[in-house]
Amino acid sequence: MNRFTRLAPLIAQLAKFGTVGGVAFIVDISVYNLLRLTVMPDYPIGAKVVSVIVATTVSWLGSRYWTFKEGRNDARVREAFWFFLINAGGLGIAMGCLFVSHYVLGFTSQLADNISGNGIGLVLGTAFRYLMYKFVLFRAAPEGEAGGTHSTEDERVERSA
């Protein structure tokens, strides 16, 4: 087996992760800027919290049903809880970047807020989330292991048939 053949599944997963992340990013940026331009012009942190919650919901659905479908959890509520908790860590990273830039360094323009929260914070938060999704939340059960909390619904149907 050559190196590319071994890396192909990882490359495919990273491409899916990037696509889901790209869609969630567009949702995040759109909601954030819409809120800042309308109902939350003086609340960059609050606008970021709301935009991340909306984007996280989009990301969970894409991750669960497409990117990490092999490792999705049978317990949807528990999985969603942990997904949102992991994303809270990503939000904390983005908010920390935004807080330092806006309140500590005094860069208060909307452009500066976007660069710090949606640029630097996004890169750092994305790396954190991918690692947590892949190695903690969406771990596929080892081959040959039936059942477990990480089997898919299709596998359960096959085992019961």
Side-chain angles (χ1 to χ4, degrees):
M1 182 183 298
N2 68 31
R3 184 174 291 181
F4 179 76
T5 305
R6 284 183 283 154
L7 290 177
L10 177 62
I11 292 168
Q13 186 179 59
L14 285 169
K16 289 177 180 180
F17 178 78
T19 301
V20 169
V23 170
F25 176 72
I26 291 168
V27 169
D28 185 9
I29 298 295
S30 299
V31 171
Y32 175 78
N33 284 296
L34 181 65
L35 291 172
R36 286 293 306 274
L37 291 171
T38 59
V39 297
M40 301 179 89
D42 299 325
Y43 302 100
I45 302 294
K48 188 64 182 166
V49 169
V50 172
S51 71
V52 166
I53 289 170
V54 173
T56 298
T57 302
V58 169
S59 179
W60 177 61
L61 293 171
S63 294
R64 176 176 174 72
Y65 293 104
W66 190 43
T67 306
F68 298 103
K69 67 182 177 184
E70 295 82 18
R72 70 180 176 219
N73 198 304
D74 287 342
R76 285 184 190 97
V77 173
R78 184 182 326 150
E79 180 187 89
F81 170 79
W82 283 105
F83 190 89
F84 276 80
L85 190 62
I86 289 167
N87 276 275
L91 171 62
I93 291 168
M95 285 178 48
C97 293
L98 178 58
F99 180 87
V100 168
S101 173
H102 193 91
Y103 295 107
V104 176
L105 300 177
F107 298 120
T108 59
S109 72
Q110 191 163 348
L111 176 61
D113 288 348
N114 273 288
I115 290 170
S116 61
N118 297 320
I120 298 165
L122 173 79
V123 170
L124 297 175
T126 297
F128 169 78
R129 284 188 296 273
Y130 179 76
L131 294 171
M132 293 299 290
Y133 297 163
K134 180 164 181 65
F135 296 110
V136 177
L137 183 60
F138 292 115
R139 291 176 298 135
E143 283 190 40
E145 223 179 80
T149 60
H150 292 287
S151 61
T152 65
E153 292 160 32
D154 294 337
E155 291 170 338
R156 284 185 311 174
V157 170
E158 286 178 20
R159 283 194 305 270
S160 65

